[in-house]
Amino acid sequence: MSELGLGIEETDEESDPSSHRRRRRFSFASCLAVLVALVIVFGGGYVALSKGVDFLSSHLGGPADYPGPGSGKVLVQVHEGDSGADIGNTLKSKGVVQSVDAFTAAFAANPDAQGIQVGYYELLKQMKASDAVELLADHGNLIENNVAVPEGLRVTDVVALLAKGTDFSKADFQKVLDKPAKIGLPKYAGGNAEGYLFPATYAFPPKSTPTSMLKAMVDRWRQATDKADLAAAADRLGYSQKDLMTIASLVEAEARGNDMPKVARVIYNRLEGTETGGLLQIDASVNYGLGQQLGVGLTSDQLKQDTPYNTYTRAGLPPTPIEAPGDDAIAAAINPAQGDWYYYVTVNLKTGETKFATTYDEFLQYKAEFKQYCQTSDAC
């Protein structure tokens, strides 16, 4: 058979020097070549070849995989944006699957794998990779403790959402907020979490506590502001980091989308210019001071009520943020648009169209346009 050139190496039998038998050492390629030759010689055809290749692949060349079914309990988190390889690495590190290759192969072969949701799952140790994929793809196995916190909520609103989405009460969260030393607020927040519970979707692990949940939200805020380089922006603009967070919260309350940087510029212009005497005149801030929803219309008497947050009676910024700004509002606060606007009016509530004015007379024209719009629209 060696005359076929199949790469078989012969050596003397070490355990029996007198024997003429030879020890044969086969590589995977050699085995496969022998099989091919045998099939050709004996006419076994394609079926025999296929079965032989499958046998050798599974025994010699396939990715390492546990036979399953597994045992014990392992808590695993799937993060936002995780690929099949990312999940496989997580599972391998926790002893769930034997190799990432086995998991990614099973992931690719399962059409439901693309629907794996972010969150926590309880798996077993030493599972067969295909069983692990099947378990993750079944939404019924997701440990539900997700809370979606949108932009623009006050702390009181966030607490209500957390209480609704977890097994804890509003009072449980409020106790932590009353003594917030363990949740990681920046020193300049002065122990007030307003503006620092970052808006995002949170997948809280089992056995989370009100303290760990609130800390996760502050950690997420810190991650966002570190990425935006809030500290450098404060130095560049000549404001404190707390000031920029307060401005971002006002932008979040007053604007959407592409208008955010323009509204931020209006705020800076009012703070630094003489057109309004330093008065920001932002209704949302007044509402915050009155303990009302931020979008509620104000009466003339309410506009005169002097609270620390009444930006019609007090010049400058309010003492704290008034709600939690998201990434876009923070970006607008640290990178305001260029312009000499002092006023803005949303002239169409359905489309959100907002016009910006440099003079009070121009502002009055836009205000009249809005009043006319309200005469024909049920959105007002």
Side-chain angles (χ1 to χ4, degrees):
M1 289 293 291
S2 61
E3 293 179 355
L4 295 175
L6 300 179
I8 302 173
E9 180 180 349
E10 298 183 350
T11 60
D12 292 338
E13 183 70 21
E14 296 176 2
S15 61
D16 185 2
S18 64
S19 173
H20 294 291
R21 290 177 299 172
R22 306 292 186 185
R23 175 179 294 162
R24 293 168 172 81
R25 294 184 298 184
F26 292 79
S27 68
F28 175 73
S30 300
C31 291
L32 187 57
V34 170
L35 182 61
V36 171
L38 290 173
V39 169
I40 293 173
V41 171
F42 294 104
Y46 173 79
V47 174
L49 175 61
S50 177
K51 289 182 178 179
V53 171
D54 288 345
F55 175 82
L56 289 174
S57 295
S58 63
H59 285 75
L60 299 175
D65 195 5
Y66 292 125
S71 61
K73 294 180 179 179
V74 181
L75 187 66
V76 173
Q77 182 181 9
V78 175
H79 299 87
E80 185 74 36
D82 273 358
S83 64
D86 293 330
I87 300 173
N89 276 299
T90 299
L91 297 185
K92 185 177 184 300
S93 70
K94 290 183 174 290
V96 176
V97 298
Q98 191 171 4
S99 70
V100 177
D101 287 344
F103 181 83
T104 53
F107 184 93
N110 190 324
D112 296 327
Q114 295 299 326
I116 293 176
Q117 295 184 353
V118 172
Y120 288 85
Y121 298 82
E122 191 172 80
L123 290 89
L124 308 177
K125 286 192 174 183
Q126 298 190 0
M127 294 184 72
K128 187 174 178 62
S130 59
D131 292 343
V133 173
E134 186 174 347
L135 187 150
L136 291 171
D138 184 349
H139 298 168
N141 293 318
L142 178 66
I143 299 175
E144 296 284 357
N145 210 8
N146 294 346
V147 180
V149 180
E151 293 87 350
L153 295 189
R154 301 166 300 170
V155 164
T156 184
D157 303 319
V158 173
V159 166
L161 274 180
L162 292 174
K164 183 178 179 180
T166 68
D167 295 329
F168 298 96
S169 67
K170 293 180 183 179
D172 292 328
F173 290 101
Q174 194 56 53
K175 286 179 184 178
V176 178
L177 292 170
D178 289 341
K179 296 180 179 180
K182 295 182 179 180
I183 66 174
L185 291 171
K187 289 183 179 180
Y188 56 77
N192 188 341
E194 195 70 80
Y196 302 99
L197 302 180
F198 195 78
T201 297
Y202 294 90
F204 295 117
K207 299 182 181 180
S208 291
T209 65
T211 298
S212 67
M213 293 180 195
L214 292 169
K215 184 178 184 303
M217 300 184 76
V218 176
D219 288 346
R220 180 65 183 81
W221 164 82
R222 195 176 301 279
Q223 178 186 0
T225 52
D226 284 349
K227 182 178 180 180
D229 206 350
L230 185 70
D235 291 340
R236 171 171 51 83
L237 293 168
Y239 289 82
S240 70
Q241 294 182 61
K242 179 181 178 181
D243 288 341
L244 295 191
M245 284 304 301
T246 301
I247 292 170
S249 76
L250 297 173
V251 170
E252 188 69 66
E254 292 288 299
R256 292 293 179 268
N258 294 333
D259 288 332
M260 282 186 165
K262 292 183 178 180
V263 169
R265 172 51 61 195
V266 170
I267 291 172
Y268 283 112
N269 287 346
R270 289 183 181 181
L271 289 171
E272 299 167 4
T274 59
E275 177 74 16
T276 63
L279 295 172
L280 293 181
Q281 299 176 335
I282 293 178
D283 290 0
S285 182
V286 178
N287 272 317
Y288 182 86
L290 297 175
Q292 301 181 152
Q293 291 292 329
L294 304 189
V296 173
L298 292 163
T299 66
S300 57
D301 288 339
Q302 288 174 325
L303 288 172
K304 296 175 184 177
Q305 292 186 38
D306 187 36
T307 74
Y309 293 87
N310 191 332
T311 51
Y312 283 84
T313 61
R314 299 192 182 199
L317 291 167
T320 70
I322 62 170
E323 60 180 36
D327 287 316
D328 291 343
I330 293 172
I334 66 179
N335 291 295
Q338 294 300 312
D340 53 0
W341 313 291
Y342 279 92
Y343 307 95
Y344 53 90
V345 179
T346 300
V347 296
N348 188 313
L349 297 180
K350 289 186 176 180
T351 65
E353 180 185 2
T354 300
K355 294 187 176 182
F356 292 80
T358 58
T359 67
Y360 188 69
D361 288 341
E362 189 180 7
F363 162 72
L364 292 178
Q365 293 176 21
Y366 295 151
K367 192 173 181 179
E369 183 178 340
F370 173 67
K371 288 183 177 178
Q372 185 177 4
Y373 163 81
C374 285
Q375 291 176 359
T376 59
S377 174
D378 57 1
C380 297

